[in-house]
Amino acid sequence: MLYGGIEAGGTKFICAVANENFKIIAKGSIATGEPQETLAAVYRFFDQYTLSSLGVASFGPIGIQPGTEDYGYILQTPKKAWQNFNLLGAIQTRYAVPTAWTTDVNAAAYGELKLGAAKGADSCLYLTIGTGIGGGLVLNGKIYSGFTHPEMGHLFLKRHPQDDYQGSCPYHHDCFEGLAAGPSLEARTGIKGQDLPEDHPVWELQAFYIAQALISYTLMVAPTKIILGGGVMNQEHLLKKIQCSFKVQLQDYVVTPPLAEYIVKWGLPNESGIYGSLLLGKEAIV
Ligand code: ADP
Ligand code: ZN
């Protein structure tokens, strides 16, 4: 059996095919353009295989309540051509196989739980800190959702007293994403995140905000493990700074697992989402 997976991102669509042993035997990356041309390339990729399932993990917000009108749709994204686009419907029309549908970060959380940093656990929270910030939660083996999927990146935080950056979120300005996603590093310093030296003071701010968000997640759901991924986490020193700030700000109010085990980096760098989509697709086979 061959399982298909799509991680549909605002920059690129990653397509992969895995075999019975969950080894990825083919992988392709397609630049995200207009829906029709992007999907044509996706079809060219998958048409080469006889798939048993297809898991789709998409950038959001998306409609995830089965039975509702917008199920399978990408909703009010700033990417105009993809607004209210029925991505799952298009895929299902092309491939008559069982499908799964969730957000990119939900799939990444699931991939990390089954095959990555939370392997063996039954719950974890995954957070990506990249161009944007987003998170997914797996609770007792199931991806958590309420009336819709969580939007953990838009948490409202307490500002650092020395921070006067207005924030970049078009909806809230200084929510978590507005204050701490990758572009905030360049907006504050004039230097791209990847080029900033380790001793730059902006990292203290960055760690302060990320730690604060992790404290809120901890207080609300006490996840077994928090897994951090995304481009900004490529900064080797940042994890330690986050763990330290977490401890200082939480003031030991909650006895968490040891921080070196509780707040960790992704176990499947850049691949959590695609593995999650492959797994969810497989599990859609009844
Ligand atoms: P996306 O979120 O678009 O899927 P990434 O997770 O790679 O992509 O995140 C891209 C963001 O991460 C950009 O804002 C980029 O400047 C930032 N970034 C990438 N590498 C690093 C790094 N080594 N240090 C800090 N920031 C980085
Ligand atoms: Zn926001």
Side-chain angles (χ1 to χ4, degrees):
M1 291 230 253
L2 294 177
Y3 310 109
I6 302 175
E7 188 182 3
T11 314
K12 57 184 187 294
F13 274 47
I14 297 173
C15 302
V17 176
N19 66 15
E20 290 273 357
N21 306 318
F22 257 79
K23 186 175 168 343
I24 292 181
I25 57 158
K27 199 169 173 185
S29 175
I30 294 157
T32 308
E34 299 286 304
Q36 296 314 331
E37 63 179 15
T38 311
L39 282 175
V42 168
Y43 299 155
R44 276 196 296 280
F45 177 85
F46 284 115
D47 282 356
Q48 305 171 77
Y49 305 94
T50 304
L51 299 178
S52 298
S53 64
L54 197 38
V56 188
S58 175
F59 67 104
I62 64 173
I64 54 155
Q65 287 287 20
T68 57
E69 262 182 22
D70 62 11
Y71 180 72
Y73 281 66
I74 296 177
L75 303 175
Q76 66 274 30
T77 166
K79 292 195 157 285
K80 289 248 172 342
W82 292 89
Q83 273 174 9
N84 299 313
F85 183 79
N86 185 0
L87 177 56
L88 179 64
I91 299 287
Q92 286 176 330
T93 303
R94 183 78 178 192
Y95 302 103
V97 295
T99 51
W101 169 248
T102 193
T103 64
D104 45 7
V105 279
N106 277 347
Y110 201 70
E112 287 291 333
L113 184 89
K114 294 290 178 182
L115 301 170
K119 201 169 164 181
D122 67 355
S123 302
C124 74
L125 187 150
Y126 171 84
L127 189 74
T128 183
I129 305 158
T131 308
I133 297 181
L137 175 66
V138 187
L139 268 184
N140 304 320
K142 288 239 169 310
I143 292 173
Y144 171 81
S145 68
F147 68 87
T148 185
H149 52 82
E151 284 285 358
M152 300 186 197
H154 293 262
L155 214 64
F156 291 5
L157 302 178
K158 195 160 68 181
R159 267 179 174 275
H160 191 284
Q162 266 116 53
D163 185 17
D164 58 6
Y165 173 54
Q166 62 176 17
S168 64
C169 174
Y171 296 92
H172 320 112
H173 305 294
D174 61 354
C175 66
F176 181 25
E177 178 173 291
L179 289 171
S184 75
L185 294 164
E186 188 176 359
R188 281 199 175 88
T189 64
I191 306 168
K192 281 198 190 316
Q194 46 271 53
D195 301 326
L196 278 164
E198 184 176 333
D199 59 359
H200 197 290
V202 78
W203 294 120
E204 291 304 325
L205 274 184
Q206 182 78 10
F208 172 84
Y209 288 127
I210 297 170
Q212 219 186 112
L214 302 193
I215 288 171
S216 290
Y217 305 146
T218 300
L219 297 174
M220 285 197 62
V221 290
T224 310
K225 211 180 251 303
I226 295 178
I227 301 165
L228 303 177
V232 174
M233 290 311 299
N234 288 326
Q235 291 282 333
E236 286 302 320
H237 56 94
L238 186 56
L239 181 67
K240 194 94 212 146
K241 290 190 172 80
I242 294 166
Q243 290 165 339
C244 290
S245 184
F246 180 94
K247 187 170 169 52
V248 169
Q249 294 188 78
L250 184 58
Q251 290 288 322
D252 293 328
Y253 177 68
V254 177
V255 181
T256 64
L259 291 188
E261 293 162 31
Y262 181 53
I263 302 173
V264 300
K265 289 221 275 195
W266 46 6
L268 303 167
N270 299 309
E271 294 195 309
S272 327
I274 196 69
Y275 273 110
S277 68
L278 289 161
L279 285 161
L280 291 164
K282 179 183 177 192
E283 288 172 16
I285 303 172
V286 282

